[in-house]
């Protein structure tokens, strides 16, 4: 494959690596701290549109290599959308099916995208009153399918599978180190399955133990898809608190307003989780004044138009009135 | 270390595994809806849908004696069977069913400690999508034991007298009235807050991380010492629609052995909508 000419024999050759990294783009108008440049790593430039391409590809390859997908067996996975979209598209391109177990609160666009990508969908109602440690309805339902119908489904389990960490250790981490020529002082990321923060964090710490790993999380009761508040993190076995210097809690409404600012001031069509991360990074830049920050921007705005309108009602277009005489 | 007052109402997952398929033991999975049951259940278990099978579908009420008899007959349950209930959401709906079975006088009904999540996460426990073959019975229930349930007029009276323990098992935000219901719930009330004098003891206080009930000593400390539930007084547990409070009702009545504990199944969706009912925030 030729990354320079960008000619590929199949879509999977586009998957990122140190030789073919996703772009880093500097924040200009929204960051007033000259001594603390902030760069966004645009993970929506992955072939299926989000950071989850990395984990999904690693999980799928691992299942194939271990012979878990023979005899018409498909996959089942709990997902708030992005993992499902990546995994469904990849699985279908390799001839498998994916049953995606999706919480009700996932935005409409993502549910439609999952179907377009070729997933079978099972939508579960949101947790009624979550208790610590009990896990999500979607995770439990996926586990149930994998256990009761093991001949039909295998569950990659992005919440527990070390491959989800390893892929970031092998690709995202080295990409950032090379792209910044080792100048990075702060990494800003959100928490979901924690594959990104744990994998990138481990790699960067090995290179330079002084690098600060900052997790940005929405306040409780949030509706930012894909993210978890630390109190919801017990479901992820990949969360390694020893790697994290600071967890910033940001009002989740800012996820949406900051995302809009990125679209309208930087030309970055970033989704709400990126907006949340930007807010956290701006707070730290204003506090520390000096540094070199890299923010992982997980996906772009296109899947969140209905959530954006919900949080920023002025975005609702006023359609022309049809007057019937 | 003290024992639960009625340890016989609980069975562990290992016990269930050892007793699978034994005559006289009937497993019933109770879920808010039966999607989880359909995806996979304990071999031999029948599935009850809390929304459509355990409540009257016309007026707001528990199912009638006749409906209960039909439900159990169709499920192949005899009055002499040991019924083991388990379910989703940490056994909330199984606890509601437990309360219903007790109301209609079923002699031997028990909960599987930890519910379906515990079974699911144990490597040696099987799940199946196969529905059990059922030999229908002619189940006859008793008249409902109304001493286990409290209705609105008594709640209003009790509230004014202030002689009872009122235990509000909802989340702290529901208790203070910050929210009327957890986000996304369709059943709500007109007003937020709690019944004056109620103690806020969220249902999850009684559960371990794996979904099992905490030990008798821990429960005694939480409910009686820390939260001040007075065992000499009568007690009413309530939540929003009566299923989380069934979980606490089991704790107070059977694990701690309080003498007169009632479940207020009308709960906040009823109380919080009554014109003139006193509310504290």
């Amino acid at each position: 494959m030729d990354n320079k000419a960008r000619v590929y024999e199949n879509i999977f050759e586009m998957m990122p690596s140190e030789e073919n990294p996703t772009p880093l783009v500097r924040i200009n108008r929204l960051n007033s701290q000259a001594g603390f440049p902030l760069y966004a790593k645009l993970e929506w430039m992955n072939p299926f549109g989000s950071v989850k391409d990395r984990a999904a590809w690693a999980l799928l390859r691992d299942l194939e290599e271990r012979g878990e997908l023979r005899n018409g067996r498909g996959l089942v996975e709990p997902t708030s959308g992005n993992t499902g979209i990546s995994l469904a598209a990849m699985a279908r391109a390799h001839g498998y099916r994916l049953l995606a177990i999706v919480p009700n609160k996932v935005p409409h666009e993502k549910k439609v995208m999952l179907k377009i990508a070729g997933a079978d969908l099972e939508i579960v109602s949101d947790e009624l009153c979550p208790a610590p440690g009990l896990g999500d309805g979607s995770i439990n339902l996926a586990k149930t399918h994998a256990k009761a119908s093991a001949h039909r489904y295998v569950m990659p389990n992005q919440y527990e599978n070390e491959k989800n960490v390893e892929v970031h250790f092998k690709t995202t981490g080295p990409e950032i180190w090379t792209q910044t020529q080792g100048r990075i002082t702060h990494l800003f990321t959100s928490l979901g399955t924690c594959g990104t923060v744990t994998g990138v964090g481990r790699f960067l710490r090995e290179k330079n133990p002084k690098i600060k790993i900052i997790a940005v999380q929405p306040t409780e009761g949030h509706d930012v898809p894909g993210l978890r508040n630390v109190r919801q993190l017990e479901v992820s076995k990949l969360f390694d608190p020893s790697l994290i210097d600071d967890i910033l809690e940001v009002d989740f409404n800012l996820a949406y307003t900051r995302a809009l600012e990125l679209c309208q001031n930087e030309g970055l069509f970033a989704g709400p989780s990126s907006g949340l991360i930007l807010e956290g990074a701006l707070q730290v830049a204003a506090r520390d004044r000096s540094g070199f920050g890299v923010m992982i921007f997980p996906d772009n705005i296109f899947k969140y138009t209905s959530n954006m309108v919900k949080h920023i009602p002025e975005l609702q277009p006023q359609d022309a009135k049809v007057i019937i005489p | 270390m003290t024992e639960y007052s009625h340890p016989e109402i609980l069975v562990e997952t290992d016990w269930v595994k050892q007793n699978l398929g034994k005559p006289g033991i009937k497993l019933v999975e109770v879920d808010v809806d039966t999607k989880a049951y359909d995806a996979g259940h304990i071999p031999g278990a029948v599935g009850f849908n809390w929304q459509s099978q355990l409540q009257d579908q016309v007026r707001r009420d528990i199912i009638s004696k006749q409906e209960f008899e039909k439900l159990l007959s169709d499920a192949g349950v005899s009055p002499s069977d040991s019924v083991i209930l388990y379910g989703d959401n940490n056994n909330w709906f199984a606890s509601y069913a437990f309360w219903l079975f007790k109301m209609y006088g079923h002699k031997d009904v028990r909960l599987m400690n930890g519910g379906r999540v515990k079974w699911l996460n144990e490597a040696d426990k099987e799940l199946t999508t196969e529905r059990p073959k059922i030999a229908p019975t002619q189940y006859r229930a008793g008249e409902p034991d109304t001493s286990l349930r409290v209705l609105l007029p008594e709640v209003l009276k009790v509230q004014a007298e202030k002689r009872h323990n009122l235990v509000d098992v909802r989340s702290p935000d529901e208790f203070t009235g910050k929210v009327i219901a957890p986000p996304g719930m369709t059943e709500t009330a007109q007003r937020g807050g709690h019944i004056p004098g109620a103690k806020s003891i969220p249902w999850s206080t009684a559960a371990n991380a794996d979904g099992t009930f905490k030990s008798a000593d821990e429960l005694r400390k939480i409910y009686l010492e820390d939260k001040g539930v007075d065992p000499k007084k009568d007690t009413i547990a309530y939540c929003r629609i009566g299923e989380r409070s069934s979980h606490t009702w089991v704790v107070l009545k059977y694990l701690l052995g309080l003498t007169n504990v009632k479940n207020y199944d009308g709960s906040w969706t009823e109380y919080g909508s009554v014109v003139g009912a006193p509310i504290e925030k």
Side-chain angles (χ1 to χ4, degrees):
Chain A
M1 87 195 105
D2 181 351
N3 283 321
K4 205 164 167 217
R6 295 184 68 85
V7 176
Y8 304 97
E9 295 308 311
N10 64 61
I11 188 74
F12 301 109
E13 288 188 0
M14 278 178 68
M15 289 302 296
S17 63
E18 211 175 336
E19 295 74 42
N20 182 35
T22 53
L24 274 191
V25 177
R26 186 167 177 163
I27 300 300
N28 293 297
R29 301 179 65 187
L30 295 176
N31 180 17
S32 57
Q33 300 297 328
F36 202 133
L38 292 171
Y39 281 82
K41 191 157 175 65
L42 306 189
E43 286 298 302
W44 65 77
M45 299 299 281
N46 276 301
F48 303 93
S50 80
V51 66
K52 292 297 191 173
D53 281 12
R54 298 178 190 262
W57 184 234
L59 296 173
L60 184 70
R61 294 290 299 139
D62 178 53
L63 291 174
E64 284 181 323
E65 280 161 18
R66 289 192 287 115
E68 295 278 6
L69 290 166
R70 295 192 191 120
N71 305 323
R73 198 176 186 209
L75 301 98
V76 61
E77 184 71 359
T79 165
S80 64
N82 280 332
T83 304
I85 292 165
S86 304
L87 204 52
M90 291 172 180
R92 290 297 288 265
H94 277 207
Y96 317 113
R97 293 200 77 89
L98 167 74
L99 174 61
I101 314 290
V102 180
N104 211 13
K105 64 183 174 213
V106 165
H108 179 74
E109 297 96 316
K110 276 192 171 174
K111 290 175 189 155
V112 177
M113 268 312 298
L114 277 162
K115 295 191 91 162
I116 291 173
D120 300 312
L121 238 58
E122 201 163 303
I123 297 173
V124 295
S125 58
D126 299 329
E127 286 173 287
L128 298 171
C129 181
L134 290 175
D136 282 7
S138 56
I139 298 176
N140 289 330
L141 190 59
K143 280 185 179 173
T144 300
H145 280 297
K147 196 166 190 172
S149 304
H151 59 293
R152 290 179 66 195
Y153 302 112
V154 58
M155 179 173 165
N157 201 347
Q158 55 173 332
Y159 293 96
E160 297 182 14
N161 196 319
E162 271 294 323
K163 292 281 167 194
N164 182 5
V165 173
E166 189 188 294
V167 71
H168 290 287
F169 184 87
K170 285 186 173 166
T171 66
T172 326
E175 288 171 36
I176 292 170
W177 186 252
T178 305
Q179 285 173 303
T180 62
Q181 296 165 319
R183 285 180 295 161
I184 177 173
T185 60
H186 292 68
L187 176 82
F188 299 95
T189 182
S190 51
L191 303 173
T193 63
C194 298
T196 309
V197 69
T198 304
V200 179
R202 268 183 206 159
F203 181 86
L204 293 178
R205 278 286 170 74
E206 277 184 14
K207 287 288 180 187
N208 175 3
K210 288 189 183 147
I211 293 175
K212 298 260 182 276
I213 311 292
I214 317 264
V216 188
Q217 60 161 350
T219 38
E220 258 185 301
H222 72 90
D223 65 348
V224 187
L227 300 196
R228 285 173 188 277
N229 181 287
V230 274
R231 284 174 285 278
Q232 301 169 294
L233 270 182
E234 294 191 37
V235 296
S236 180
K237 303 280 189 287
L238 309 178
F239 180 53
D240 178 358
S242 74
L243 280 172
I244 296 173
D245 294 282
D246 214 349
I247 297 183
L248 300 177
E249 191 167 82
V250 171
D251 175 3
F252 70 84
N253 289 298
L254 285 169
Y256 297 93
T257 50
R258 284 296 193 192
L260 189 65
E261 286 174 22
L262 281 164
C263 293
Q264 298 183 346
N265 296 283
E266 298 285 343
L268 291 175
F269 276 9
S273 56
S274 304
L276 192 86
I277 293 164
L278 173 71
E279 171 62 24
L282 290 175
Q283 287 179 13
V284 171
R287 187 190 70 195
D288 294 358
R289 300 287 180 88
S290 164
F292 190 107
V294 172
M295 305 172 290
I296 308 281
F297 277 13
D299 63 356
N300 62 21
I301 196 83
F302 296 108
K303 281 167 280 187
Y304 303 99
T305 54
S306 60
N307 277 42
M308 288 297 284
V309 168
K310 187 176 142 209
H311 285 270
I312 309 173
E314 306 89 87
L315 291 173
Q316 179 69 50
Q318 297 303 316
D319 293 336
K321 284 198 178 76
V322 177
I323 298 160
I324 300 165
Chain B
M1 178 133 166
T2 48
E3 263 269 39
Y4 295 133
S5 293
H6 295 278
E8 73 280 2
I9 65 125
L10 288 182
V11 293
E12 300 303 321
T13 49
D14 286 339
W15 183 93
V16 172
K17 188 188 170 193
Q18 284 150 20
N19 288 280
L20 283 179
K22 293 213 175 135
I25 293 175
K26 292 279 167 19
L27 286 167
V28 181
E29 174 164 333
V30 190
D31 298 332
V32 58
D33 65 45
T34 38
K35 202 177 267 168
Y37 174 86
D38 296 339
H41 50 264
I42 300 179
V46 295
F48 286 174
N49 181 321
W50 177 78
Q51 293 186 53
S52 64
Q53 290 181 293
L54 299 186
Q55 306 185 73
D56 191 292
Q57 294 298 292
V58 180
R59 51 184 190 156
R60 183 173 178 198
D61 210 339
I62 59 171
I63 50 174
S64 68
K65 180 169 171 282
Q66 290 72 28
E67 286 166 324
F68 185 79
E69 288 172 341
K70 181 164 184 341
L71 180 72
L72 267 64
S73 299
D74 292 349
V77 176
S78 298
S80 60
D81 284 337
S82 300
V83 174
I84 314 297
L85 302 168
Y86 73 97
D88 63 1
N89 280 287
N90 207 55
N91 270 346
W92 292 350
F93 301 95
S95 297
Y96 182 95
F98 180 90
W99 172 69
L100 196 65
F101 272 72
K102 285 287 184 193
M103 290 258 286
Y104 282 119
H106 190 87
K107 288 273 181 312
D108 184 3
V109 56
R110 313 179 200 186
L111 284 169
M112 184 176 85
N113 204 4
R116 67 170 279 129
V117 171
K118 183 151 193 287
W119 183 276
L120 174 67
N121 286 308
E122 289 174 344
D124 65 328
K125 307 293 191 295
E126 250 183 86
L127 288 175
T128 181
T129 54
E130 205 173 306
R131 283 162 192 275
K133 288 184 185 59
I134 292 166
T137 57
Q138 295 286 325
Y139 191 94
R140 289 289 165 264
E143 287 306 316
D145 177 358
T146 52
S147 73
L148 307 181
R149 183 190 202 194
V150 59
L151 298 171
L152 179 69
E154 195 186 335
V155 173
L156 289 168
K157 189 165 153 273
V158 156
Q159 178 289 126
E161 293 169 354
K162 310 218 178 298
R163 286 203 299 262
H164 283 59
N165 300 303
L166 284 165
V167 178
D168 185 318
V169 316
R170 298 173 301 161
S171 60
D173 281 353
E174 290 171 276
F175 183 80
T176 59
K178 188 178 165 198
V179 298
I180 294 181
M185 292 295 106
T186 47
E187 313 95 341
T188 68
Q190 291 300 311
R191 291 288 186 269
H194 57 265
I195 303 177
K199 297 176 198 308
S200 171
I201 317 178
W203 72 273
S204 55
T205 319
N208 291 312
D210 67 354
T212 54
F213 288 107
K214 286 184 180 159
S215 71
D217 288 337
E218 288 170 301
L219 293 174
R220 201 169 299 280
K221 179 166 186 326
I222 294 165
Y223 286 87
L224 308 188
E225 292 171 29
D226 298 349
K227 298 290 182 178
V229 173
D230 183 349
K232 293 190 286 294
K233 289 182 179 174
D234 294 348
T235 302
I236 291 171
Y238 73 94
C239 60
R240 186 174 53 97
I241 48 175
E243 81 313 344
R244 281 177 284 178
S245 56
S246 308
H247 188 272
T248 296
W249 177 81
V250 169
V251 170
L252 295 171
K253 186 170 174 67
Y254 292 95
L255 305 186
L256 288 177
L258 269 55
T259 42
N260 187 9
V261 189
K262 295 182 182 195
N263 184 26
Y264 174 32
D265 58 313
S267 275
W268 194 254
T269 50
E270 178 176 61
Y271 190 94
S273 298
V274 171
V275 175
I279 288 178
E280 212 169 67
K281 282 193 127 179

